[in-house]
Amino acid sequence: MSKTNESISLIINGLKYKIKVDPDTPLLFVLRDNLGLCATRYGCGEATCGACTVIVDGQAVMSCDISLGAVAEKSVQTAEGMQAMPSHPLLESFIKYQAGQCGYCLTGILMASKALLEKEPLATRKRIAEVLDSNLCRCGAHARILDAVEEAGKFMSKGL
Amino acid sequence: MIPPPPLADAPHLKNWLQVSEDKELIFFTGRVELGQGNTTALLMMIADELDVLPSSIILETARTDLTPNEGITAGSMSITIGGQALRWVASALKMQLLEIASKRLRIHAKNLSIYEGHIFNKGKKTECSFTDFFDGLDLTNKIVDDAKPKTFGERRKCFRDINRIDLESQLFGAPFIHDLKFDGMLYGAPVHPPSAHSHLADLDLEILKGRPGVIKVVRDGSFVGIIASTSYYAKKAASWARNNGKWESNIKEPFNLFENIKNLDTKPETVIESSDVNKNSGTWFEITASRPFIYHGSIGPATAVAKVGNDKITIYTHSQGVFQLRQAIAKVLNTAEEKICVIHKPGSGCYGHNGADDVAFDAVLMAKSIPGKFLKVVWSRFDEFHSSPMGASMVTKSRALLSSDDRLVAFDVELNSTPHTNRPSANFPNLLAAGYLANPISPSRTPDVPVARGGGADRNAIPSYEVGGVRVRKRIIYDTPYRTSALRSLGAYCNVVANEALLDTIAKQIEVEPIAFRLDHTTDPRSRDILERLDYETKKDRATTNEEGIGWGIGFARYKGLGGYCAVMVRVHVGENVSVTDAISVSDVGEAVSPDGVKNQVEGGIIQSISWTLKECVPVDGFSATAESWTDYPILKFSEIPIMRTILIDRPEEKPLGAGEISQGPTGAAIVNAVADAIGCHVTNLPITRDAIISTINAED
Ligand code: FES
Ligand code: FES
């Protein structure tokens, strides 16, 4: 009984998509179910855990909390996009510090950190922690994650 | 050498490995990856034993149609038992390969060896690879007949500290059960009653069927399941049903947990009594610690995929025990186990028995109505907080007798606890929805974990010191409205908190340094090493702080009395609230197969335990848990993480012990003791919130 929808266009990880889905559907479900881009994780669906964080026009956004309609014509980055940049400082440092356990929280944290460091590569550990307070990790990988993000910032500030 | 226990039921090579047509070597383990990195460590153990590169081996984790049944992956036993079994398997395989090579190459087997997959003759590389001899293998050979696992001196260290094999897929891939997709797959969402003890009184199924995207509504007793075309529609319809249906509680009077749990009148069960604790004389000291219900709180909700075919049910699950889940489902459905295939896929970290098994049964119940089609069921956050088993609430009262020469001469522990184990099995299905079907199979009383397996509620009730005669008594409180089951470290957390706080109180009373007092009661050299090292590592910092509101505290235990050792020292700041600013730990888990993996586990345990100790308490109303979202159940955040130093004492010559559950008890205890150092009293009614501190101070006045 879904409404007849106009198609909506947006850019995801640099590729143009035209999607015909109820525009009220949260972006998270469109990514995961309609487009098969599952690196954006479903954690709570109610903007309280950060697992679904993506970057929309440079800003970290919880994709369960924004509708498809609201990102029309915008540019979205998801963790899948990182695959094309294997030497991105964030990926390198997450691997160097083995920052993660079950890993369920990681893609959201990666996106939140990327959005932050692109604006403030020299963010202090305290600042990084404050920003990541919107992202929950239950395994207790926090200390390693902070180490990894801090170090990645240093590389990014040098433009590496 | 005694063969590891899993080889008894799975004695042949073919139980543990297969060679594919492309000469790939596929090992099977009955263990599962729960986010603790055990598949990486198991792979390292196989590679090391076989002298091949880890990348040349495939490891399949638990599935009922393929791998041996190694029981539940829990209790920090994956490496200790599961890994040892794989070492024997790999060794038997290697011995057979070298034997075949010896015959074909006409070289004495004792001159042959394998290195990185190549066959060497007297240390010189030959033209042959170990895979060249796969065609001669007889996988019906018995492992114990051939295996000669390496001694520690023969092990190669080069595979230690390889990276987690699953990290990259976690960072940008789709490795989770949540990400599984099959052609024509539909999406389901259950509408559970608000507690295990209520029934559905009213819900308009016709309107529900007409909600957007809904394909089918399944009802059996009080179980309602929605099948929809997308997960979004399934979820929306389920929340509509929750808001528009009516459920009634089967329990009329609210259950007062604390009255029941603290009521020490009924006769306890004596678990251990090494000698009469009342025979010596001296001064008795006493402390009582309690902890509330604690959520497992996985970040990714419980999920399963199921397909019910004509003659076969297929289930993908992140359960800790695929064989046990199969038994339980077979029992509830009254079907032969052979007709059910249960396959493990990684989920979000579970930390014990969470909703993984329950959701798998939900999925089967719904998939029955769409034969031949895959159905993915993902719980909502509301389901997680209302329907999954919680970590048990408990109270531990520890008493110790101090002789006139300041030695502990008796230790007496009495504890009351809700159940720490309610896992599904053949005898006790314990699947949530089974309890409210039209023909219900109600949850049953599962016996507590026996002392021989590390104990359950009484885990670590015996302190890890020489304390004279010991008595442990317990009462398990069944039949509460709340559903509880295994949460990492079971009763050890609360028991270690009680015992270590008691030791601290006594040390303070007789004016002995807490570490010195512990060392005075420790002769075991590994325990002494840990305590002395922690003392050394933190001495300078401890000496330099005497600011207002700052305190230092220690906690120590050997997990289960026979597992890994861990001592934790924390520095706290007590202001408006309590925060842990520094956490330094020293651990000994015997041979650390993956030292970095062990440290990661210890750190994770410390952080989770800080969260439990300072913040976590499931809100309950006498009928059920009442948290609806993360806002009702805050956990430790990034800005609250201490500076950490994690020290590992490596003992490659000792048998490997698990690491996932060694640090929770010691951390909780260290925090309680540090807070006491800062404010002068032990706050043991956990969590240590502002209110708990105030009520403790008031009680002491
Ligand atoms: S899934 Fe979006 S914040 Fe939790
Ligand atoms: S690594 Fe498991 S939730 Fe963060």
Side-chain angles (χ1 to χ4, degrees):
Chain A
M1 218 185 48
S2 47
K3 304 173 212 166
T4 40
N5 305 308
E6 305 265 303
S7 62
I8 290 177
S9 16
L10 73 163
I11 294 165
I12 304 173
N13 302 326
L15 297 176
K16 224 175 149 115
Y17 286 81
K18 261 188 163 62
I19 310 162
K20 230 176 165 174
V21 178
D22 179 348
D24 292 341
T25 313
L27 175 62
L28 170 65
F29 294 95
V30 178
L31 291 171
R32 292 185 56 84
D33 297 345
N34 299 86
L35 304 177
L37 295 172
C38 291
T40 306
R41 319 278 185 223
Y42 168 70
C44 65
E46 42 199 40
T48 54
C49 77
C52 65
T53 307
V54 297
I55 301 175
V56 178
D57 285 350
Q59 299 290 338
V61 169
M62 294 189 192
S63 65
C64 68
D65 199 35
I66 190 167
S67 68
L68 174 64
V71 295
E73 306 302 330
K74 299 200 168 162
S75 164
V76 177
Q77 293 178 54
T78 70
E80 275 95 354
M82 300 294 274
Q83 201 167 356
M85 333 175 203
S87 56
H88 192 285
L90 271 167
L91 283 185
E92 288 202 339
S93 60
F94 269 72
I95 289 166
K96 172 175 164 194
Y97 286 97
Q98 293 288 287
Q101 287 186 21
C102 79
Y104 202 87
C105 64
L106 289 182
T107 52
I109 289 171
L110 198 61
M111 289 294 103
S113 309
K114 185 163 186 276
L116 170 68
L117 296 184
E118 277 170 2
K119 276 178 266 172
E120 303 171 40
L122 288 175
T124 59
R125 193 179 179 94
K126 188 157 174 258
R127 168 85 178 127
I128 296 167
E130 269 163 24
V131 169
L132 291 184
D133 273 351
S134 321
N135 293 72
L136 301 180
C137 170
R138 186 56 162 165
C139 293
H142 306 70
R144 287 166 178 247
I145 291 171
L146 289 172
D147 288 343
V149 177
E150 210 182 342
E151 185 169 299
K154 289 192 186 126
F155 277 101
M156 286 166 75
S157 72
K158 292 183 204 142
L160 296 172
Chain B
M1 266 194 277
I2 308 160
L7 298 183
D9 286 338
H12 304 286
L13 278 177
K14 65 172 189 208
N15 301 128
W16 296 88
L17 62 92
Q18 234 171 44
V19 178
S20 78
E21 281 179 8
D22 307 333
K23 291 196 179 178
E24 280 167 331
L25 197 50
I26 307 161
F27 276 77
F28 308 139
T29 169
R31 306 271 153 183
V32 300
E33 176 65 58
L34 305 171
Q36 76 285 53
N38 71 357
T39 41
T40 304
L42 293 174
L43 203 58
M44 287 158 73
M45 292 173 93
I46 299 171
D48 171 54
E49 193 65 53
L50 209 48
D51 286 312
V52 304
L53 293 172
S55 56
S56 53
I57 305 161
I58 297 168
L59 182 64
E60 281 276 0
T61 57
R63 49 187 288 167
T64 56
D65 59 344
L66 198 61
T67 69
N69 176 358
E70 290 191 67
I72 310 269
T73 300
S76 297
M77 301 308 283
S78 290
I79 304 304
T80 312
I81 307 260
Q84 291 296 56
L86 286 171
R87 276 183 169 162
W88 280 61
V89 176
S91 168
L93 172 70
K94 180 166 106 181
M95 295 305 156
Q96 209 190 125
L97 284 171
L98 291 179
E99 205 50 55
I100 301 164
S102 153
K103 282 202 191 107
R104 291 198 192 157
L105 304 175
R106 296 173 208 271
I107 300 171
H108 202 289
K110 79 168 194 299
N111 294 331
L112 291 175
S113 59
I114 302 178
Y115 186 75
E116 292 188 354
H118 300 287
I119 304 282
F120 283 70
N121 176 15
K122 289 193 183 156
K124 272 180 70 192
K125 196 167 172 180
T126 70
E127 296 287 282
C128 304
S129 150
F130 78 123
T131 59
D132 296 345
F133 305 100
F134 282 177
D135 58 340
L137 280 172
D138 182 356
L139 297 184
T140 60
N141 274 18
K142 271 185 102 170
I143 294 156
V144 294
D145 292 346
D146 298 334
K148 288 188 203 69
K150 291 180 178 178
T151 58
F152 90 90
E154 295 167 305
R155 297 202 183 288
R156 293 171 41 209
K157 300 280 181 272
C158 57
F159 298 142
R160 297 178 25 137
D161 284 335
I162 62 168
N163 288 335
R164 282 278 296 264
I165 53 172
D166 40 2
L167 183 57
E168 288 191 22
S169 69
Q170 293 171 359
L171 283 167
F172 47 68
F176 297 107
I177 185 164
H178 306 74
D179 311 327
L180 274 182
K181 216 164 196 179
F182 294 96
D183 279 346
M185 185 172 81
L186 296 173
Y187 298 82
V191 190
H192 289 289
S195 80
H197 300 272
S198 42
H199 62 271
L200 180 61
D202 183 37
L203 177 64
D204 192 328
L205 298 185
E206 285 313 307
I207 301 185
L208 187 54
K209 272 183 207 152
R211 302 288 306 167
V214 174
I215 292 171
K216 229 178 194 148
V217 174
V218 179
R219 174 168 183 188
D220 184 341
S222 286
F223 177 80
V224 174
I226 293 156
I227 298 174
S229 56
T230 70
S231 60
Y232 176 59
Y233 286 136
K235 199 175 135 56
K236 277 205 37 163
S239 73
W240 180 88
R242 215 165 14 245
N243 293 330
N244 290 277
K246 249 185 78 192
W247 288 264
E248 279 165 9
S249 174
N250 305 339
I251 303 170
K252 297 291 166 242
E253 287 299 311
F255 180 86
N256 187 329
L257 179 74
F258 282 100
E259 208 169 276
N260 275 276
I261 213 168
K262 287 202 170 141
N263 163 17
L264 299 170
D265 295 347
T266 58
K267 194 172 170 325
E269 174 195 343
T270 301
V271 200
I272 296 151
E273 191 161 22
S274 69
S275 70
D276 183 358
V277 288
N278 291 315
K279 78 165 189 256
N280 289 319
S281 60
T283 316
W284 280 101
F285 290 81
E286 179 183 316
I287 210 161
T288 300
S290 65
R291 84 157 199 197
F293 294 120
I294 294 178
Y295 281 135
H296 294 78
S298 301
I299 300 301
T303 296
V305 177
K307 180 173 89 171
V308 178
N310 271 347
D311 223 18
K312 191 175 161 212
I313 300 176
T314 308
I315 302 166
Y316 291 88
T317 176
H318 53 109
S319 163
Q320 289 175 284
V322 294
F323 290 91
Q324 290 64 29
L325 176 60
R326 178 169 76 159
Q327 287 178 332
I329 291 182
K331 165 110 181 193
V332 179
L333 297 181
N334 204 4
T335 308
E337 275 183 48
E338 297 66 46
K339 290 192 175 165
I340 306 176
C341 174
V342 184
I343 302 163
H344 184 267
K345 281 273 170 239
S348 187
C350 65
Y351 327 108
H353 176 207
N354 65 355
D357 298 283
D358 297 326
V359 73
F361 184 56
D362 289 353
V364 171
L365 284 176
M366 288 185 240
K368 279 203 301 189
S369 71
I370 45 164
K373 281 205 153 79
F374 279 104
L375 179 77
K376 174 151 80 186
V377 178
V378 182
W379 274 10
S380 64
R381 194 44 46 190
F382 183 93
D383 294 325
E384 280 286 316
F385 283 157
H386 271 249
S387 302
S388 59
M390 306 184 280
S393 178
M394 66 186 283
V395 175
T396 304
K397 182 168 87 180
S398 297
R399 300 163 64 230
L401 183 64
L402 190 72
S403 70
S404 53
D405 57 350
D406 289 348
R407 291 211 54 89
L408 294 172
V409 288
F411 214 92
D412 188 19
V413 179
E414 183 177 353
L415 54 102
N416 292 353
S417 178
T418 50
H420 284 270
T421 172
N422 267 313
R423 292 183 184 277
S425 67
N427 296 335
F428 310 101
N430 279 325
L431 296 165
L432 176 70
Y436 43 76
L437 297 179
N439 291 314
I441 300 195
S442 299
S444 37
R445 291 184 165 199
T446 312
D448 199 19
V449 183
V451 174
R453 285 191 15 235
D458 45 8
R459 185 166 291 179
N460 278 91
I462 303 180
S464 306
Y465 308 99
E466 282 111 63
V467 292
V470 179
R471 177 171 70 169
V472 176
R473 293 176 299 161
K474 70 175 173 189
R475 297 179 191 81
I476 305 295
I477 305 163
Y478 291 102
D479 306 327
T480 78
Y482 308 111
R483 199 161 156 254
T484 55
S485 195
L487 172 67
R488 257 173 147 187
S489 87
L490 308 190
Y493 169 74
C494 190
N495 295 330
V496 171
V497 167
N499 291 346
E500 289 286 288
L502 179 59
L503 252 77
D504 233 55
T505 315
I506 301 170
K508 200 161 147 199
Q509 183 78 27
I510 58 174
E511 293 174 5
V512 178
E513 261 274 291
I515 296 185
F517 186 61
R518 285 166 171 81
L519 283 168
D520 285 347
H521 291 86
T522 309
T523 52
D524 169 49
R526 287 170 75 174
S527 301
R528 288 193 68 90
D529 277 0
I530 296 259
L531 290 165
E532 282 165 357
R533 179 76 184 268
L534 187 62
D535 188 27
Y536 170 80
E537 296 284 345
T538 58
K539 215 175 199 130
K540 258 208 350 248
D541 290 340
R542 280 183 287 138
T544 54
T545 32
N546 42 18
E547 294 157 56
E548 179 85 2
I550 299 292
W552 288 88
I554 183 178
F556 167 70
R558 179 174 192 194
Y559 187 50
K560 298 182 193 171
L562 39 82
Y565 303 73
C566 182
V568 179
M569 177 76 75
V570 300
R571 177 182 181 272
V572 299
H573 175 253
V574 185
E576 189 71 2
N577 282 303
V578 180
S579 57
V580 176
T581 61
D582 299 76
I584 305 99
S585 64
V586 182
S587 309
D588 167 0
V589 295
E591 177 197 355
V593 172
S594 160
D596 186 65
V598 169
K599 287 187 187 173
N600 203 351
Q601 284 297 295
V602 170
E603 285 162 19
I606 291 174
I607 291 176
Q608 199 172 68
S609 181
I610 297 173
S611 187
W612 293 351
T613 310
L614 296 183
K615 310 189 95 161
E616 296 186 33
C617 172
V618 176
V620 293
D621 64 1
F623 298 101
S624 69
T626 58
E628 300 198 351
S629 80
W630 282 115
T631 20
D632 303 322
Y633 191 79
I635 61 172
L636 206 70
K637 295 183 297 192
F638 276 92
S639 56
E640 297 166 316
I641 300 301
I643 297 167
M644 302 185 81
R645 203 138 50 89
T646 311
I647 297 154
L648 182 65
I649 298 183
D650 194 10
R651 297 193 185 275
E653 72 286 3
E654 297 286 346
K655 104 173 179 215
L657 305 163
E661 300 173 320
I662 61 173
S663 56
Q664 286 84 349
T667 303
I671 298 171
V672 167
N673 290 336
V675 169
D677 186 38
I679 66 167
C681 59
H682 287 86
V683 182
T684 48
N685 48 333
L686 305 178
I688 312 177
T689 56
R690 208 179 145 65
D691 287 350
I693 295 177
I694 292 169
S695 76
T696 307
I697 293 174
N698 288 343
E700 296 215 343
D701 289 344

